Amino acid sequence: VKRPDSSSKARRTRTYAAPRGTLDILPEDEPYWRFVQAAAEETCRLFGYRRMETPMFEDVGLFSRTVGEATDIVEKEMYVFSDRGGQELALRPEWTANICRAYLQHGMHNRPQPVRVWYWGPTFRYQRPQAGRYRQFTQFGCEAIGEGDPSIDAECVEMAWDFYGRLGLRDLRIELSSIGDPTCRPAYQEALRSYYADKLDRLCADCQRRYDTNIMRLLDCKTDMDGPVTSRAPSILDHLCADCRDHFDALRSYLDEMGIPYTLNPRLARGLDYYTRTVFEITPPGEGSQSSLCGGGRYDGLIELLGSRPTPAIGFAAGLERTIATLRKQSTPVPPFPEPTAYVACQSSAAAAAALRLTSDLRKKGVSALAGVGGRSLKAQMRHANALGIRRVLILGEDELAKGTVTVRDMTTGEQKTVPRSKVAPLLTHRRP
Ligand code: HAM
């Protein structure tokens, strides 16, 4: 282990960067985040989902029990730590388990079912960083808990599709499958085991290990992705029991009726163990499931795993860094952040107090304004306003100070006009471009 150099010179010269796999959101990125959050809120409003939040960390057992001991997330991706009281906690690697924990803890099964909730916030996985894969990322997700009818599955897929449609992204694909339930899945897993038995040497080391612990993950093998072994593996869709088949057929007929396009992908292997029946992902054009924008599915057994009576549920979560990267890649227009309407410039430091007062009065009247500060020359203040993209400069020179007026300069046309100070706000609000 390399020890950090603690000499005083090293301490003085050390520079810091954000931890590997994390992302700073800069002011110029913010319009994208606002745009995406507005779209998420509108989708949730239209579908009647209410926002919910849970703590950023939870008992580590909550995740290992539900997400699954033999998953990448639990095996090697959780940020686990002991607090000073000795409790073992994990930064949330996903939200579904926490939402279900909260559903039980707050007796939400006594409310009208299904309980429809959404969430938005930081999520943590210790993964090898690469394009679109971070150690802290943001998920927007929705969960409908307490209803097993396939119409809720259709609602869930429709909702994710509505969100992406609202963003204006093009050429996305919904990949859909059913992974059966405890009635039919064991026989399918057996079929997979016999299929893979003599082909393990063609898979990655992780998959060779998972042959015994999590056979369905082999369908997602990184070495053989879309390769000859995986593509000829038995299909779960040929192994569904009658109930799972009916459920899946109903979902497909509802999606067809609503005109929501999807591609069947019987090899869709979600990275979490709690799924039953419906699973889906939304992927951007030209990329595989490793870069899904959004993923979800039904998890009818999860709440039972948490010690309560069986409660069917379904949901999805979208990764927002990837979503925003796709918006940028597709040059999707997003509303820009509106620059302040006015820049109050003063000719001498004698006018500084009057400039602050005028700026403050404008803000009280709902006009966004900045004051030129720091004793810059009038010319420098004009340049500053220009650099900030502010269209109107309000000049307080000696003459204006003496007469209680302001000179309003339009930086794009060069037009100037002097008006009484009380007339500035109405002038700006009426003529805002
Ligand atoms: P997930 O597929 O693990 O599902 O994650 C959902 C989305 O989060 C992914 O499609 C991806 O966009 C994003 N994501 C995941 N890991 C990363 C990462 N390291 N960096 C950037 N983005 C990432 C779940 O988390 C389930 N809880 C979804 C769900 C909700 N199922 C039912 N309800």
Side-chain angles (χ1 to χ4, degrees):
V1 176
K2 209 171 142 203
R3 287 174 168 279
D5 188 345
S6 60
S7 70
S8 62
K9 176 155 181 266
R11 254 183 280 131
R12 262 185 280 120
T13 54
R14 176 156 183 205
T15 56
Y16 294 95
R20 219 164 107 69
T22 64
L23 200 70
D24 292 317
I25 298 173
L26 303 181
E28 56 269 33
D29 304 322
E30 219 262 337
Y32 286 93
W33 288 88
R34 285 199 332 165
F35 177 60
V36 172
Q37 180 152 0
E41 284 180 2
E42 182 58 3
T43 296
C44 294
R45 184 186 73 78
L46 289 170
F47 284 75
Y49 281 61
R50 304 269 306 264
R51 184 162 183 177
M52 194 170 152
E53 290 200 44
T54 59
M56 248 182 251
F57 53 84
E58 298 266 356
D59 192 300
V60 69
L62 174 68
F63 302 112
S64 35
R65 187 170 323 161
T66 56
V67 173
E69 296 281 2
T71 57
D72 280 348
I73 293 180
V74 171
E75 273 183 354
K76 50 190 184 192
E77 294 173 359
M78 280 201 293
Y79 280 89
V80 177
F81 62 99
S82 296
D83 69 8
R84 288 169 188 273
Q87 194 183 352
E88 220 186 349
L89 300 163
L91 295 183
R92 61 176 168 231
E94 63 112 38
W95 291 66
T96 309
N98 342 356
I99 296 286
C100 290
R101 192 268 306 138
Y103 171 90
L104 291 175
Q105 183 174 339
H106 302 286
M108 290 166 85
H109 53 277
N110 293 319
R111 301 182 184 191
Q113 305 291 297
V115 168
R116 292 176 163 95
V117 294
W118 69 278
Y119 48 84
W120 172 292
T123 313
F124 305 86
R125 291 183 196 173
Y126 188 82
Q127 294 186 310
R128 199 162 48 79
Q130 58 180 52
R133 199 204 276 160
Y134 301 96
R135 290 181 174 171
Q136 176 177 331
F137 56 99
T138 315
Q139 276 191 347
F140 153 56
C142 300
E143 314 287 346
I145 308 177
E147 176 58 63
D149 191 78
S151 60
I152 301 293
D153 304 44
E155 171 180 295
C156 184
V157 177
E158 184 200 358
M159 205 171 168
W161 195 238
D162 179 279
F163 168 63
Y164 281 105
R166 202 166 288 287
L167 294 178
L169 288 178
R170 295 183 311 272
D171 305 325
L172 304 188
R173 206 174 53 245
I174 301 178
E175 303 200 4
L176 183 73
S177 187
S178 169
I179 56 162
D181 68 5
T183 312
C184 50
R185 207 182 304 153
Y188 173 64
Q189 288 170 323
E190 238 1 272
L192 275 186
R193 241 177 232 115
S194 29
Y195 172 77
Y196 277 110
D198 57 357
K199 301 177 184 70
L200 285 179
D201 54 340
R202 284 144 79 184
L203 304 184
C204 68
D206 269 350
C207 284
Q208 294 179 8
R209 203 166 34 82
R210 297 242 165 89
Y211 178 80
D212 291 317
T213 55
N214 200 349
I215 183 79
M216 287 177 70
R217 292 296 299 165
L218 272 56
L219 295 170
D220 203 23
C221 178
K222 289 168 191 72
T223 316
D224 190 64
M225 176 90 52
D226 301 321
V229 181
T230 312
S231 52
R232 283 188 215 115
S235 163
I236 176 74
L237 298 180
D238 299 330
H239 288 78
L240 295 180
C241 60
D243 285 350
C244 287
R245 160 78 37 212
D246 289 349
H247 187 97
F248 195 51
D249 288 347
L251 164 62
R252 291 182 57 187
S253 72
Y254 296 149
L255 292 177
D256 292 342
E257 183 68 30
M258 290 191 286
I260 296 172
Y262 56 84
T263 310
L264 286 186
N265 178 2
R267 292 195 300 279
L268 195 61
R270 304 274 301 124
L272 306 99
D273 277 358
Y274 50 60
Y275 290 112
T276 48
R277 296 189 169 171
T278 307
V279 285
F280 71 99
E281 287 185 355
I282 296 183
T283 47
E287 295 180 65
S289 67
Q290 290 292 307
S291 60
S292 64
L293 296 176
C294 151
R298 186 162 271 293
Y299 49 93
D300 291 347
L302 196 160
I303 289 198
E304 205 177 349
L305 283 176
L306 296 179
S308 188
R309 61 167 190 250
T311 308
I314 184 164
F316 74 86
L320 302 174
E321 288 76 7
R322 287 181 194 182
T323 301
I324 287 175
T326 312
L327 283 170
R328 286 194 149 118
K329 208 186 250 175
Q330 298 194 354
S331 306
T332 312
V334 306
F337 181 82
E339 296 304 341
T341 304
Y343 185 105
V344 181
C346 43
Q347 205 153 27
S348 69
S349 53
L356 284 186
R357 167 78 195 269
L358 175 60
T359 316
S360 171
D361 285 348
L362 287 171
R363 291 176 187 144
K364 283 186 190 120
K365 291 179 179 131
V367 179
S368 55
L370 296 185
V373 290
R376 288 184 170 111
S377 70
L378 189 57
K379 226 168 145 189
Q381 291 176 74
M382 299 279 206
R383 276 201 304 270
H384 191 212
N386 235 341
L388 293 172
I390 301 178
R391 184 158 162 205
R392 300 228 168 61
V393 176
L394 313 183
I395 303 165
L396 285 174
E398 271 165 41
D399 215 35
E400 286 87 352
L401 270 190
K403 294 188 181 144
T405 58
V406 180
T407 297
V408 180
R409 181 183 171 86
D410 186 316
M411 299 295 281
T412 39
T413 62
E415 259 175 64
Q416 283 196 183
K417 111 179 201 192
T418 303
V419 295
R421 243 176 260 175
S422 60
K423 293 276 166 17
V424 181
L427 184 76
L428 295 177
T429 38
H430 286 137
R431 288 186 48 199
R432 208 180 292 169

